[in-house]
Amino acid sequence: MKNNFIQTLIQKSQPHWHHYVEHDFVQQLGQGILPLSSFQYYLKQDYLYLFHYNRALALAMFKAENFAQMRDIHQAIEVLLQEIQLHIDFCREWGISEQELLTLDEDPACVAYTRYVLDCGMTGGLAELYAAIAPCAIGYAEIGLRLSQQNIAPNNPYQKWIDSYASQSFQTAVEKYKDFLTALCQDLNAKQLANIQHIFTTATRMEVAFWQMGLDH
């Protein structure tokens, strides 16, 4: 059921999903020709996104209905906190200091996306919250895996970014995420599932805007 449910969410979010995973930002990154300033700006805003992502997971802990869900969410928070430190180290490699990250102004695209996720969590339950963050996790796994399998230019400066999302550990984490979201939605009625689809599609559109933010900068 997992693959069918997730694939249905993706299919019904078209053409936005295609615009997300095949965005010019992604294509240029995979070819190693993305302007450095675009990548650096994306990294800075992604740091802010991860901050709010962790807030969303903290909210998920509050929304949990049993200890089993709490354990899964707790593990996700631990993984994210480790990822944030890696992100800080990665930013440093690209000339962005931790002090600069602490004083960033949020881009409107980041504000819109992260607050939408939090709003879904505040007004809904775990299913709504996880549907709002699903395109991020699932999409990055798809993008990382696809780019890693392409015949890209040698010495791609963005290869480390690609490798991190193509890694087995990230792919495994996303599979667990899919299982969790599927389980949350399995007993929902048609109206509730329609709302889950609307949230997933809207968040996918937000991901498109996030890539475009980097190119526009």
Side-chain angles (χ1 to χ4, degrees), residues 47-63 73 77 80 106 109-136 177 195 199-200 202-203 206:
Y47 170 81
L48 296 175
Y49 175 85
L50 288 173
F51 174 77
H52 293 294
Y53 194 112
N54 203 35
R55 292 179 66 206
L57 289 177
L59 178 59
M61 183 70 79
F62 175 77
K63 296 279 185 173
I73 296 165
I77 291 174
L80 182 58
E106 241 181 310
C110 187
V111 173
Y113 190 4
T114 57
R115 299 330 185 265
Y116 177 72
V117 169
L118 289 168
D119 182 64
C120 288
M122 290 293 292
T123 59
L126 270 184
E128 287 76 16
L129 176 55
Y130 266 69
I133 56 180
C136 178
Y177 183 93
N195 186 46
I199 291 171
F200 184 91
T202 301
M206 296 286 188

Side-chain angles (χ1 to χ4, degrees), residues 4-22:
N4 289 340
F5 178 69
I6 299 301
Q7 286 306 311
T8 296
L9 288 176
I10 291 173
Q11 186 58 41
K12 289 186 176 181
S13 71
Q14 298 290 9
H16 306 294
W17 187 266
H18 174 78
H19 295 158
Y20 165 34
V21 298
E22 300 282 352

